[in-house]
Amino acid sequence: MYCQNCGAKIEDSVNICPFCGFSNEGDNELTQKDLKIQELQEKITELEQTVSNTTVNENDRGFNNKKMFAFIFILPMAFLVFFFVLFFILANR
Ligand SMILES: [Zn+2]
């Protein structure tokens, strides 16, 4: 193989170039590690997006529950008060 730094022909078994001292195999390992780190960072980003989406969905559910609570309790209460007022108005005539 050829040195990635100076281009000199070196033996495959020799990882460090005898001409410039450049570590060819070490550089390849670093590149592979960099690729793995990039993959992990992408996965972390995906997980962060999933977590943030889940949090938003939970907030939506909480908002919907509050809406349901309002419809189930506040709306009948309003009708009850309305009919009580109507009843007293009709009774006082
Ligand atoms: Zn070299």
Side-chain angles (χ1 to χ4, degrees):
M1 67 174 184
Y2 294 93
C3 173
Q4 294 177 10
N5 188 42
C6 66
K9 189 175 183 182
I10 53 173
E11 291 181 31
D12 290 349
S13 58
V14 180
N15 297 323
I16 297 167
C17 178
F19 300 99
C20 68
F22 184 77
S23 180
N24 289 282
E25 195 189 55
D27 191 55
N28 288 337
E29 277 183 1
L30 268 177
T31 308
Q32 286 178 352
K33 280 178 185 173
D34 284 341
L35 285 172
K36 281 185 179 178
I37 287 167
Q38 280 183 353
E39 282 180 12
L40 287 171
Q41 281 175 338
E42 284 173 8
K43 282 181 182 177
I44 288 167
T45 309
E46 283 178 18
L47 284 170
E48 281 175 348
Q49 285 174 349
T50 308
V51 167
S52 61
N53 286 341
T54 308
T55 310
V56 169
N57 286 339
E58 279 174 1
N59 286 339
D60 282 346
R61 260 180 252 138
F63 184 68
N64 286 336
N65 283 341
K66 279 177 185 174
K67 264 186 172 178
M68 287 295 289
F69 181 84
F71 271 106
I72 289 167
F73 291 97
I74 294 170
L75 216 67
M77 283 294 282
F79 269 105
L80 217 66
V81 169
F82 173 76
F83 280 114
F84 263 111
V85 170
L86 204 71
F87 173 77
F88 276 113
I89 288 168
L90 290 172
N92 286 333
R93 274 186 180 176

